[in-house]
Amino acid sequence: VSDVGNFLTDNLAILFLPAGVGVIVFFPIIAENWGSLLAIILVSTILTLGFTAWLVQSLVKVFGTEGTPPESVDHEEAR
């Protein structure tokens, strides 16, 4: 995991280049619709946070507060 993580963080500039070019190319459209885009971003962020909170609470109910996995999982085999 650390090898892949290091590769991705070392190449972040390359990975964000297409998004940056897209913003520059479509800037006139973004400037016209900034209010709608802002509303969409806020609503989707709130929905994502709410869903994540609900999911974590559900998982805590299933696994307990300590987060212990079910007994059927053999962690030594997974390694």
Side-chain angles (χ1 to χ4, degrees):
V1 173
S2 66
D3 290 339
V4 173
N6 288 334
F7 171 77
L8 291 174
T9 54
D10 289 342
N11 295 299
L12 277 178
I14 295 169
L15 297 173
F16 280 107
L17 188 63
V21 170
V23 168
I24 292 171
V25 168
F26 293 106
F27 187 75
I29 296 171
I30 293 171
E32 281 181 21
N33 300 307
W34 69 269
S36 300
L37 291 171
L38 182 63
I40 291 169
I41 290 169
L42 289 174
V43 169
S44 63
T45 300
I46 291 168
L47 288 174
T48 301
L49 287 172
F51 176 76
T52 303
W54 173 82
L55 182 63
V56 168
Q57 287 180 348
S58 299
L59 291 174
V60 166
K61 286 180 185 176
V62 171
F63 293 113
T65 57
E66 296 178 18
T68 55
E71 296 300 322
S72 63
V73 176
D74 187 4
H75 292 289
E76 294 302 318
E77 269 185 31
R79 292 181 191 176

